[in-house]
Amino acid sequence: MFHFSMDNARSVGVLSLSGDLTIRNAAEFKEAMANAMDQANQLEINMTEVERIDLTTLQILCSAHRTLLKKGKSLALSGTVPAFIRETVQQAGFADCAGENETSGLWKGVTN
Amino acid sequence: MNVEIDTSAFTEEAYELLSELEDSLLELEASPGDQELISRVFRAMHTIKGSGAMFGFDAVAEFTHEVETVFDMARNGTIPVTKQLIDLTLAARDHIRALLDAAAGGEPADQVNANRIIGGLRSLSPDKKSGGGAAAPASTPGKAPVNTPSADEPHIFRIRFIPNPDIFATGTNPLLLLNELRELGECRAVAITEKLPDFYDLDAEVCYTGWEIFLTAKIGENAIRDVFIFVEDECELNIRLLDRDQMIRDQEDGKKLGQILVERGDVQQNDLERALLPLGDRLVKAGVISQDRVRAALTEQQVIQEKHDKKKTAETATSVRVPSEKLDSLVDLVGELVTMQARLNQTAGSIGDHTLQLIAEEVERLTAELRDNTMSIRMLTIDTTFNKFKRLVRDLSTELGKEIELITAGGETELDKTVIDQLNDPLVHIIRNSIDHGVESPDLRRACGKNPTGKITLSAIHSGASVLIRVQDDGAGLDAQRLRAKGIEKGLLSPDDELTEKEAFQLIFAAGFSTAAKITNVSGRGVGMDVVRRSIEGLRGSIDVTSTLGKGTTITLKLPLTLAIIEGLLVMVEKEYFVLPLAAVEECVELSREDVQKAHGRHVINVRGEIIPYIRIRDRFEIAGTAPDIEQIVISEVDEKRIGFVVDKVVGQHQTVIKTLGKNFQHSEEFSGATILGNGGVALILDLTKMVRYVEEEEIRELDVQ
């Protein structure tokens, strides 16, 4: 469900997520995120295999993103983001939530 | 320099507004309390007045102003909507029409009548002195605003929705609520995440998010509240209608610099937003507001702007007025093109050049599309015609002391303009008949145990290449016995003629036939229904009557969708070509010599156990030559019976551009026209109904002689 791998040379960590990512396992997801955030300076999240998300997912990602930005670290998405996730982000009005500008925005290409 | 103003745009619009006005008034009569309808009436009059004055129709503007003034009082609730008010306003509507007709060169409008209407309207107002001074503005700034959200125009709502932090615990998913809102209309949500804490303080199972949602929808506030009904106690909810008038006032009074720049085209909307962002940033940095609030505000602005833009385009791009002659000549040209294209196809086929054939096929496709497009431009919905009858029914039933309700259905059905134009008079006759002879007086209806209010249903429905228009009443119905007796009395039948019920009903279409005991000025002179039949047949349509004594009558008109181009079946007898309307054709079967012998000289054939009579085109038109061994029978449906037409050869489907026959051939009623073939030859289009009728009559005559 949560798989973390680290490219030590570039200090890029990739957290690959899969399956359901909803309130049922929100605590575990937060845990996994916290872990990954500690280890990597540049964190990438791969959501290609994710099947369901909800508001808790968006809150965790959004909060993590802001916190990392404050610390001078970065959070980005890698791989393809499934269309339903983009849609949920757009419908929930999170599109440029932490993305004050085009470079740091988490959900690039999605607008409210 | 004298500037010529084209006033036709105004008059056309005014006529449309008048019919809208009439509809609204009639609806208002049914539900006098409907604020929305009152506003609609008011708006229609206001527009007529405004554009009338603009185009120099001062008489129209002045008169309409008087009516509008009184209706404004009704709108503000100063005076009630009464039958008297509606009667007067309807009369006023007629007078405005008369004024317009007069301006277009018609008879001058009746000033006495106008004074009577205005006098009547003025007497309705509580302050009898008001209503004078035609130049005074209709709406005074001090009047109470009418704040009823109209149903036909969308509103923008701003919904602030802040769920309680523990909302997840109840199993509620706020995103689903947003989805529900989305079903109500166009919805844009901006998440307000200012309460979202630093990641390390975040509780994954708490809801920190709130929303500002902008919903553009044709609904009321309650419909929105309904969405949140189950979470009412678990959230903060604030719904506000973004007042349209307020917005417009804002825009007109003091446009913001940015807006002016955008409107002048100096700055693009996007650039403006980008420029505004730094201001938001500065405010955010100053700690005045959060990032999300800025985004919400920008979205709000955008949503309003979008609606405004949409309205503007809707106003300019919905329709283009074109004189119908231009359309007629376009159809003629397309008709010629279709003919030429058939020639091109044939030539390309005979030359056998592959490239040429490809081009011919492409041209064929384009021509077909062009034809369909042109035809669809000429298509009009029938509801304007239907709506006219509301007034007719209202006026006539009042005059005759009857209570009749007109119900219409299928008004959105489309028909060729020419068909619609020629449909009006026949329908008037049929409906008048229903009102006068069909529906009984309220007393009689009560005595029969019926609802004292009679019902006439006017409906239209598509059926293949035809449209069925039905006039149904729940009146007395037709008495076949009485019709028969009357037919004998008028010498249309001989006393020993046997008639089916259906044939008896058809008698009502005979010239000079009326069973009405007394002649009213509505109907009963016996000129109506035969005119109806003639005009419907002129449109290549047919009429069907069904009736149950005591229960009511239904008259169904079957009309072709279009008159200019039809799909036909091209057939051949010797060297002559004929076209049968494809809509009527059901199947083709072979007729061999043996089949003919088996029938022992009768013109019938057995098709899968069904005996079908046939007509030989060869014999009918006395075409010389011998028939081939195997002939073809085209079986068609004529007057709900299956009848075969024997030809030598079936050539195939043919795009038939109908050309009317020259004067010398007008009496040949068996042909509904002619068409030009690909090879330049001419094919006659058969009018199957008429042909069958002639053959039947001839045979009956022959039998009589024997």
Side-chain angles (χ1 to χ4, degrees):
Chain A
M1 181 162 269
F2 311 110
H3 175 77
F4 182 69
S5 67
M6 187 76 199
D7 176 348
N8 282 317
R10 293 191 292 132
S11 73
V12 175
V14 178
L15 180 63
S16 297
L17 309 169
S18 62
D20 282 7
L21 220 58
T22 59
I23 188 159
R24 287 168 191 282
N25 43 35
E28 293 162 56
F29 175 40
K30 199 202 156 193
E31 205 42 61
M33 274 298 281
N35 236 322
M37 283 163 69
D38 287 345
Q39 295 177 47
N41 280 330
Q42 295 176 48
L43 182 57
E44 287 183 1
I45 310 241
N46 188 323
M47 300 186 84
T48 313
E49 305 273 298
V50 172
E51 278 157 23
R52 276 172 63 188
I53 61 164
D54 68 6
L55 184 59
T56 60
T57 329
L58 297 179
Q59 289 190 150
I60 292 170
L61 285 171
C62 189
S63 168
H65 186 212
R66 289 181 188 178
T67 304
L68 285 171
L69 282 180
K70 255 186 252 166
K71 288 186 174 179
K73 296 183 174 185
S74 76
L75 178 71
L77 299 175
S78 67
T80 25
V81 180
F84 85 91
I85 294 184
R86 289 174 173 279
E87 205 182 13
T88 310
V89 168
Q90 187 253 321
Q91 289 175 352
F94 271 75
D96 37 26
C97 162
E100 294 79 13
N101 56 59
E102 281 159 23
T103 44
S104 68
L106 186 59
W107 306 101
K108 280 170 206 151
V110 181
T111 48
N112 264 341
Chain B
M1 196 176 72
N2 194 2
V3 182
E4 282 276 317
I5 302 172
D6 184 11
T7 51
S8 64
F10 164 68
T11 40
E12 266 176 56
E13 187 196 8
Y15 282 131
E16 262 172 40
L17 283 166
L18 284 176
S19 72
E20 191 187 312
L21 182 64
E22 189 172 38
D23 293 345
S24 310
L25 281 169
L26 294 172
E27 274 180 56
L28 188 61
E29 190 172 30
S31 47
D34 193 332
Q35 274 293 331
E36 172 50 25
L37 280 172
I38 299 177
S39 306
R40 225 157 78 194
V41 169
F42 185 79
R43 275 203 300 272
M45 274 188 299
H46 194 69
T47 317
I48 294 172
K49 183 183 84 171
S51 40
M54 202 161 79
F55 283 93
F57 289 79
D58 291 339
V60 174
E62 269 170 40
F63 179 78
T64 315
H65 170 73
E66 295 284 338
V67 191
E68 189 194 6
T69 312
V70 176
F71 230 88
D72 191 32
M73 285 185 252
R75 193 167 75 135
N76 295 335
T78 322
I79 56 168
V81 176
T82 53
K83 182 160 167 39
Q84 200 190 357
L85 175 66
I86 302 225
D87 279 340
L88 281 167
T89 319
L90 277 172
R93 177 250 169 218
D94 292 345
H95 184 70
I96 297 172
R97 206 191 149 91
L99 285 172
L100 287 171
D101 289 344
E107 295 202 355
D110 182 358
Q111 189 55 43
V112 181
N113 187 31
N115 292 340
R116 191 186 56 79
I117 296 167
I118 291 177
L121 284 168
R122 282 190 188 161
S123 72
L124 288 177
S125 72
D127 171 19
K128 297 212 166 72
K129 271 170 284 173
S130 77
S139 49
T140 42
K143 85 173 162 53
V146 182
N147 218 349
T148 40
S150 64
D152 55 345
E153 215 182 275
H155 300 276
I156 304 176
F157 293 94
R158 183 176 66 206
I159 305 157
R160 284 210 168 113
F161 169 51
I162 304 162
N164 289 353
D166 56 354
I167 195 164
F168 293 143
T170 61
T172 309
N173 182 347
L175 294 186
L176 292 183
L177 294 172
L178 295 189
N179 286 347
E180 256 177 76
L181 282 180
R182 201 158 280 119
E183 278 163 24
L184 296 176
E186 237 181 277
C187 181
R188 303 219 355 217
V190 175
I192 305 295
T193 50
E194 56 200 21
K195 292 207 191 97
L196 194 64
D198 197 76
F199 183 76
Y200 297 101
D201 301 327
L202 180 91
D203 181 341
E205 287 164 19
V206 166
C207 180
Y208 298 99
T209 314
W211 283 272
E212 282 210 11
I213 304 151
F214 302 93
L215 181 67
T216 313
K218 297 179 190 175
I219 49 158
E221 194 183 309
N222 288 338
I224 301 173
R225 290 206 177 271
D226 286 348
V227 170
F228 295 98
I229 199 155
F230 296 114
V231 291
E232 245 170 343
D233 303 333
E234 291 152 26
C235 70
E236 222 177 277
L237 186 65
N238 178 326
I239 301 172
R240 199 180 143 217
L241 177 68
L242 297 181
D243 185 353
R244 194 171 56 93
D245 296 337
Q246 182 66 47
M247 275 152 44
I248 290 167
R249 238 171 287 144
D250 284 352
Q251 273 165 4
E252 281 171 4
D253 288 352
K255 282 180 184 158
K256 316 238 172 357
L257 173 67
Q259 221 157 20
I260 295 170
L261 288 172
V262 172
E263 276 180 14
R264 285 158 50 100
D266 296 340
V267 178
Q268 294 289 310
Q269 184 74 28
N270 298 351
D271 297 338
L272 177 67
E273 272 161 32
R274 214 171 294 153
L276 280 173
L277 276 170
L279 167 72
D281 280 349
R282 253 173 275 154
L283 286 172
V284 174
K285 285 207 181 102
V288 182
I289 49 167
S290 80
Q291 187 77 45
D292 296 323
R293 300 280 174 190
V294 177
R295 279 194 303 127
L298 278 174
T299 311
E300 176 173 331
Q301 202 180 29
Q302 221 174 328
V303 169
I304 292 169
Q305 185 66 37
E306 271 168 23
K307 185 187 166 193
H308 188 67
D309 287 352
K310 214 176 273 171
K311 220 177 138 202
K312 255 199 239 158
T313 36
E315 274 163 8
T316 52
T318 38
S319 65
V320 179
R321 283 177 196 282
V322 176
S324 51
E325 303 93 64
K326 284 194 180 174
L327 278 184
D328 290 342
S329 63
L330 179 63
V331 171
D332 283 346
L333 285 171
V334 171
E336 280 181 40
L337 187 64
V338 169
T339 312
M340 279 313 289
Q341 179 266 320
R343 269 183 87 170
L344 175 64
N345 256 12
Q346 201 159 30
T347 316
S350 60
I351 291 176
D353 183 299
H354 186 63
T355 328
L356 186 59
Q357 267 171 342
L358 276 181
I359 296 173
E361 273 167 26
E362 195 68 355
V363 173
E364 183 177 6
R365 186 183 62 79
L366 286 172
T367 317
E369 264 175 42
L370 183 63
R371 181 204 62 189
D372 291 348
N373 252 310
T374 315
M375 288 302 157
S376 74
I377 294 174
R378 291 175 54 89
M379 292 295 199
L380 293 178
T381 56
I382 201 166
D383 59 350
T384 29
T385 312
F386 276 11
N387 286 337
K388 278 190 216 153
F389 294 117
K390 286 193 187 143
R391 181 73 184 275
L392 177 80
V393 170
R394 178 189 185 272
D395 289 359
L396 264 186
S397 52
T398 321
E399 194 179 312
L400 296 169
K402 293 181 179 178
E403 290 166 22
I404 299 172
E405 186 191 356
L406 180 76
I407 299 162
T408 58
E412 71 287 347
T413 312
E414 288 189 327
L415 263 171
D416 192 287
K417 191 180 173 302
T418 359
V419 181
I420 289 203
D421 287 349
Q422 292 178 46
L423 195 60
N424 195 41
D425 290 352
L427 277 177
V428 169
H429 281 303
I430 295 175
I431 292 175
R432 281 177 164 227
N433 256 296
S434 284
I435 298 171
D436 200 13
H437 308 313
V439 179
E440 313 91 328
S441 66
D443 293 340
L444 190 58
R445 288 180 69 90
R446 242 174 252 128
C448 299
K450 287 181 174 178
N451 183 340
T453 304
K455 220 194 281 177
I456 294 181
T457 313
L458 188 58
S459 62
I461 190 171
H462 274 288
S463 150
S466 315
V467 169
L468 302 179
I469 294 171
R470 205 163 276 149
V471 183
Q472 195 171 7
D473 68 56
D474 64 348
L478 294 171
D479 186 342
Q481 288 306 320
R482 233 176 100 208
L483 286 171
R484 190 167 176 274
K486 194 85 184 175
I488 294 166
E489 187 194 312
K490 293 260 171 188
L492 296 163
L493 298 168
S494 68
D496 47 348
D497 271 350
E498 276 184 34
L499 278 185
T500 62
E501 204 173 48
K502 204 162 207 146
E503 284 165 330
F505 292 160
Q506 287 289 332
L507 281 173
I508 61 170
F509 296 111
F513 192 91
S514 175
T515 57
K518 64 172 196 288
I519 291 171
T520 64
N521 71 346
V522 179
S523 58
R525 276 182 290 247
V527 281
M529 291 310 253
D530 66 313
V531 176
V532 170
R533 177 151 84 175
R534 230 177 301 137
S535 33
I536 296 299
E537 284 178 356
L539 292 168
R540 290 193 294 110
S542 60
I543 306 185
D544 182 60
V545 186
T546 55
S547 180
T548 315
L549 197 57
K551 289 273 171 59
T553 309
T554 305
I555 295 180
T556 309
L557 310 178
K558 187 175 180 181
L559 294 161
L561 277 178
T562 172
L563 294 175
I565 299 181
I566 58 163
E567 289 283 343
L569 186 73
L570 189 63
V571 298
M572 244 180 125
V573 180
E574 280 303 309
K575 290 200 169 61
E576 303 285 341
Y577 287 98
F578 297 94
V579 172
L580 285 77
L582 197 64
V585 174
E586 294 195 332
E587 59 179 322
C588 298
V589 293
E590 286 183 349
L591 177 71
S592 65
R593 286 265 154 85
E594 286 164 32
D595 294 329
V596 178
Q597 277 161 8
K598 267 191 236 163
H600 305 292
R602 281 168 301 171
H603 287 179
V604 291
I605 184 172
N606 185 330
V607 179
R608 296 185 295 271
E610 186 191 356
I611 304 294
I612 295 176
Y614 60 74
I615 297 170
R616 268 173 190 278
I617 306 274
R618 178 182 289 276
D619 296 350
R620 184 77 204 136
F621 300 130
E622 293 170 3
I623 300 168
T626 37
D629 285 347
I630 295 176
E631 294 169 280
Q632 304 287 330
I633 305 183
V634 182
I635 297 177
S636 315
E637 197 192 274
V638 181
D639 285 343
E640 289 170 25
K641 281 173 275 185
R642 272 157 66 83
I643 291 178
F645 295 88
V646 181
V647 298
D648 289 2
K649 199 174 145 195
V650 174
V651 182
Q653 205 168 324
H654 184 258
Q655 288 286 330
T656 311
V657 181
I658 302 174
K659 301 268 172 202
T660 40
L661 292 169
K663 267 211 175 105
N664 294 338
F665 301 97
Q666 294 279 317
H667 60 277
S668 330
E669 287 191 9
E670 287 168 302
F671 306 114
S672 54
T675 188
I676 301 164
L677 297 173
N679 60 11
V682 171
L684 291 166
I685 303 165
L686 298 179
D687 185 330
L688 303 183
T689 317
K690 293 244 171 72
M691 188 147 138
V692 169
R693 212 174 283 158
Y694 275 119
V695 173
E696 273 175 353
E697 277 168 18
E698 259 172 41
E699 288 195 350
I700 289 167
R701 233 174 288 141
E702 273 169 34
L703 284 173
D704 285 350
V705 170
Q706 284 166 9

